[in-house]
Amino acid sequence: MNPIPRIAFALAACFLLSSCSDPRSTRLPLDVADIPKLQPQLDKLSAEERDLVLAYLKRSKGDVLPPKFADPDAPLTARTFKEAIKLQREWNVKFAAQEERAEARRDAADAKLEPLRKTVSITVLRREIMTADEAMGREPQQGVPLNTRKTLVVTYRLQNHVADTVTRLQGSVSIRTESDPDSLMGIASCWIDRHDPIPGSQSVEVRCGGKGAVSDATQAFIDLPESSLIVRWEPKLIELSSGKTLRAE
């Protein structure tokens, strides 16, 4: 037998074998619950590629879209580890650019708020669960409570850092946690519109009631150490007794 066909056959067999053994040719699961079944193939990838595959699966939740129906900015069309690695790498580049632009916008917004924040600052004093009556400071009528619904109440301290009296204050405060720093509304938020004066270099307390039913998550929030809280204060308007007005665009 001519040795050339034998060599060609051997080379073809080696190629097919290597293709089959390449972990990047592994098909993605349609259900993310099946990821543990693919652990042997994942373990054959480099640490970077394994993280890319898992990040893609977390993002896609197992969905596979035909290219013509996919979002061109974030296509979820991968069917194999190799395709997932490529798409996730591209997504990471886009996401990093988006985050950079968002960070620039936040920095610009903070720069505009800085003069107001230096005038009046805010800190969290207490987190409590109260009845609606307690939160509003209402006494029972003829011994009968009006509203015993439980609610989250957060008490803040507003500190005036200038010598002039603050005669009007508007602003919002939100609290997020380290486990969910990008939450849209935060676990607690409050709009403050205060007409009562805050004398120069003095502070006042402001109480804000929560919305929605009290849950296990509410109690978990109360039990969190203060160091885990991310408090964002966005003052919008400060009027001073001197006639000066600070306003955030």
Side-chain angles (χ1 to χ4, degrees):
M1 181 177 179
N2 191 328
I4 295 179
R6 290 184 181 179
I7 295 173
F9 176 79
L11 289 174
C14 289
F15 175 77
L16 290 173
L17 183 61
S18 63
S19 297
C20 293
S21 62
D22 183 357
R24 289 174 295 181
S25 65
T26 304
R27 294 189 69 82
L28 295 173
L30 296 178
D31 188 342
V32 291
D34 292 333
I35 293 176
K37 298 177 182 179
L38 300 177
Q39 196 60 49
Q41 289 89 338
L42 287 168
D43 290 340
K44 293 178 183 178
L45 298 172
S46 67
E48 184 223 3
E49 290 183 336
R50 182 166 59 249
D51 289 344
L52 289 170
V53 170
L54 293 174
Y56 179 87
L57 287 170
K58 181 178 179 180
R59 190 161 59 88
S60 69
K61 299 180 176 61
D63 291 342
V64 182
L65 297 174
K68 64 179 180 179
F69 296 126
D71 182 347
D73 292 325
L76 300 175
T77 57
R79 296 181 182 276
T80 64
F81 282 5
K82 182 179 180 180
E83 293 171 354
I85 289 167
K86 177 180 180 294
L87 289 177
Q88 190 61 31
R89 277 201 180 111
E90 293 172 353
W91 165 256
N92 287 350
V93 172
K94 291 179 182 178
F95 182 75
Q98 291 171 357
E99 279 295 291
E100 187 175 345
R101 290 192 294 270
E103 185 67 26
R105 288 194 296 269
R106 286 192 291 267
D107 289 345
D110 284 341
K112 293 179 180 180
L113 292 174
E114 190 61 22
L116 288 81
R117 287 172 173 162
K118 285 184 175 179
T119 302
V120 178
S121 63
I122 197 166
T123 53
V124 178
L125 288 182
R126 293 181 296 278
R127 292 161 279 159
E128 306 166 279
I129 294 176
M130 299 181 177
T131 66
D133 283 351
E134 291 169 337
M136 297 296 294
R138 290 191 297 242
E139 296 292 335
Q141 299 296 313
Q142 297 179 341
V144 180
L146 297 175
N147 191 336
T148 59
R149 180 180 64 85
K150 297 289 185 178
T151 185
L152 170 67
V153 176
V154 181
T155 303
Y156 301 92
R157 174 184 285 127
L158 291 169
Q159 176 69 52
N160 181 357
H161 293 282
V162 299
D164 290 340
T165 295
V166 174
T167 57
R168 176 81 186 277
L169 174 65
Q170 285 184 333
S172 64
V173 59
S174 60
I175 305 177
R176 294 170 177 80
T177 64
E178 289 181 342
S179 61
D180 192 10
D182 299 319
S183 169
L184 182 61
M185 294 300 296
I187 195 167
S189 60
C190 182
W191 170 254
I192 297 171
D193 187 355
R194 183 181 175 86
H195 294 260
D196 294 334
I198 308 175
S201 303
Q202 294 190 30
S203 64
V204 296
E205 293 186 9
V206 174
R207 177 185 285 178
C208 285
K211 299 177 181 178
V214 170
S215 64
D216 292 342
T218 308
Q219 187 60 54
F221 165 63
I222 290 174
D223 294 337
L224 281 173
E226 188 174 343
S227 59
S228 296
L229 304 181
I230 301 171
V231 181
R232 181 165 180 82
W233 169 228
E234 296 188 1
K236 302 298 184 184
L237 172 70
I238 299 176
E239 294 179 354
L240 301 172
S241 58
S242 63
K244 184 178 181 180
T245 298
L246 302 175
R247 191 186 304 272
E249 297 299 331

